[in-house]
Amino acid sequence: VTVEMKSSKVAIVRMNRPPVNALSKDLMHGLRRTICDLEDNDVKGIVLTSSSKVFCAGLDLAELLNPTQEFVSSFWKELQGLWITLYSSRLVTVAAVNGAAPAAGCMLALSCDYRMMSSKNVIGMNETKFGLFPPPWFVELMADTVGRRKAEMLLLQGTLLSTEDALACGMIDQIVE
Ligand SMILES: CC/C=C\C/C=C\CCCC/C=C/C(=O)SCCNC(=O)CCNC(=O)[C@H](O)C(C)(C)COP(=O)(O)OP(=O)(O)OC[C@H]1O[C@@H](n2cnc3c(N)ncnc32)[C@H](O)[C@@H]1OP(=O)(O)O
C-alpha cells in the first residue's frame, strides 16, 4: 500500500500488489493499518485506488487454496477488520475504481462514501458464478447501495456490471475518464 498526500488533509491510498491487487491477508492488514494511521494523523479524507490496471480482483484465491483452519480463521478476521475499519471510518472515503472490481474488490468500493469509476470496466459481486455466496455484510452493502430487489438479482446471478450500468443503478456515483 502506498500513500501520497495531496494536501495536509487528503491522501491517495494506492493498492500496490501486482498484478491484480488480490486481497491477501497481508494486503488487507496493510490497508487497515494505513487507514488507521491516517485517521490518527488528522487527515480528513482518502481516495482509495490502485496503482495498476485492475482496481482489485477480490480475495486472493491462491491464498485460500488448501489453507489450514488457523489461516482461514485469521484471513477471515482480517477481511472483517478491513471492512469494519473502512466502512466506519471517520474519514471521507472515495473509491476511484480505475480497473475491474469483482467480489471483494466491489466490497471495498461499496464500503466507501463515494465511488467514481473509469469507463470500460466491470464491478459487482460474482461469487455465485463460482459456487459461493457472498457473506451477509457484502449482501447488506449491496442492498444499501442499489436497493434490495436489484441486489438480490445481481447477487443471485453473480452479475458484473459495466461502468455505465453501474452508474445507471447507483452502484457508482460518477464516471471519470
Ligand atoms: C477465508 C475464506 C473462507 C472461506 C470462503 C468461503 C466463502 C466466502 C466467499 C467470500 C466471498 C468471496 C469473495 C472474493 O473476492 S473471491 C475472488 C473473486 N475474484 C474474481 O472472480 C476475479 C478473478 N479475476 C479476474 O476476473 C481477472 O483476473 C481480472 C481481475 C479481471 C484481471 O484480468 P487480467 O488483467 O486479464 O489478468 P489475468 O486474469 O490474466 O490475471 C493475472 C494473474 O492474476 C491472477 N489472479 C486473478 N485474480 C486473482 C484472485 N482473485 N486471486 C489470486 N490470483 C488472481 C491470475 O490467476 C493471473 O495469474 P498468473 O499466475 O496466471 O499470471
Side-chain angles (χ1 to χ4, degrees):
V1 179
T2 62
V3 176
E4 179 192 346
M5 296 305 299
K6 284 311 270 185
S7 68
S8 60
K9 303 292 181 199
V10 178
I12 314 271
V13 175
R14 289 192 178 85
M15 292 175 277
N16 185 17
R17 184 168 185 256
V20 293
N21 288 323
L23 288 172
S24 62
K25 191 177 145 188
D26 282 351
L27 177 55
M28 293 190 286
H29 183 78
L31 270 173
R32 190 161 62 83
R33 237 335 348 117
T34 301
I35 296 163
C36 291
D37 287 348
L38 291 168
E39 284 177 338
D40 290 345
N41 279 290
D42 202 28
V43 168
K44 298 280 187 233
I46 61 169
V47 178
L48 176 63
T49 191
S50 157
S51 56
S52 67
K53 70 182 175 75
V54 173
F55 177 71
C56 170
L59 300 185
D60 187 336
L61 297 173
E63 272 197 351
L64 293 173
L65 199 63
N66 301 320
T68 61
Q69 180 62 46
E70 193 185 7
F71 184 81
V72 168
S73 166
S74 61
F75 186 98
W76 204 251
K77 208 167 156 186
E78 208 59 72
L79 174 63
Q80 286 185 314
L82 171 59
W83 167 65
I84 289 167
T85 300
L86 183 58
Y87 186 69
S88 62
S89 176
R90 71 156 183 82
L91 302 170
V92 175
T93 53
V94 174
V97 183
N98 56 341
C106 178
M107 179 278 294
L108 283 183
L110 297 193
S111 301
C112 292
D113 301 316
Y114 190 83
R115 285 162 286 289
M116 50 181 77
M117 185 166 160
S118 52
S119 55
K120 300 194 182 67
N121 275 310
V122 290
I123 185 167
M125 293 186 185
N126 58 333
E127 284 86 343
T128 51
K129 284 276 200 260
F130 43 89
L132 295 172
F133 201 74
W137 70 91
F138 282 29
V139 173
E140 290 307 311
L141 267 180
M142 184 68 94
D144 285 348
T145 311
V146 300
R148 196 151 292 273
R149 179 58 182 154
K150 181 73 179 172
E152 189 176 25
M153 293 308 290
L154 292 174
L155 292 168
L156 281 174
Q157 296 176 22
T159 310
L160 290 176
L161 293 176
S162 67
T163 305
E164 291 70 22
D165 288 346
L167 181 68
C169 75
M171 196 183 296
I172 62 162
D173 302 296
Q174 189 183 347
I175 298 179
V176 176
E177 294 309 328

